[in-house]
Amino acid sequence: PPPTREERVRRLCAHFDRSVEQYGESHAAVLFRKWIPQYAGKMGWPRETMIRLLRINDLQTMRQALAEA
């Protein structure tokens, strides 16, 4: 069976956390944006949500937005 929404959210957050570990807090949010369109399609996010996430430049805002998306 395909992954549940909760499993996808956990995977997305783990991916983001690894990006922070690898690239550091100052760059992770910006670099992670390249993955947002792919996650948006799999998560079923509306275009407006994807665009909002693509405009985020800081770590805390990105974490909060991903948790709410």
Side-chain angles (χ1 to χ4, degrees):
T4 65
R5 180 168 174 75
E6 290 90 17
E7 290 170 333
R8 287 183 175 158
V9 169
R10 279 197 304 267
R11 185 174 293 157
L12 172 117
C13 291
H15 184 183
F16 184 66
D17 290 340
R18 285 192 308 274
S19 294
V20 172
E21 290 172 12
Q22 184 171 359
Y23 300 111
E25 292 186 8
S26 61
H27 293 97
V30 173
L31 293 173
F32 193 74
R33 291 186 301 192
K34 72 180 180 180
W35 297 104
I36 296 296
Q38 293 171 347
Y39 278 112
K42 293 180 186 217
M43 298 294 286
W45 292 334
R47 183 170 173 79
E48 296 79 23
T49 299
M50 181 185 74
I51 291 170
R52 181 173 49 87
L53 290 168
L54 288 170
R55 293 180 176 159
I56 296 174
N57 292 318
D58 68 276
L59 184 68
Q60 288 306 104
T61 306
M62 181 65 81
R63 280 190 193 280
Q64 182 178 358
L66 290 174
E68 295 171 356

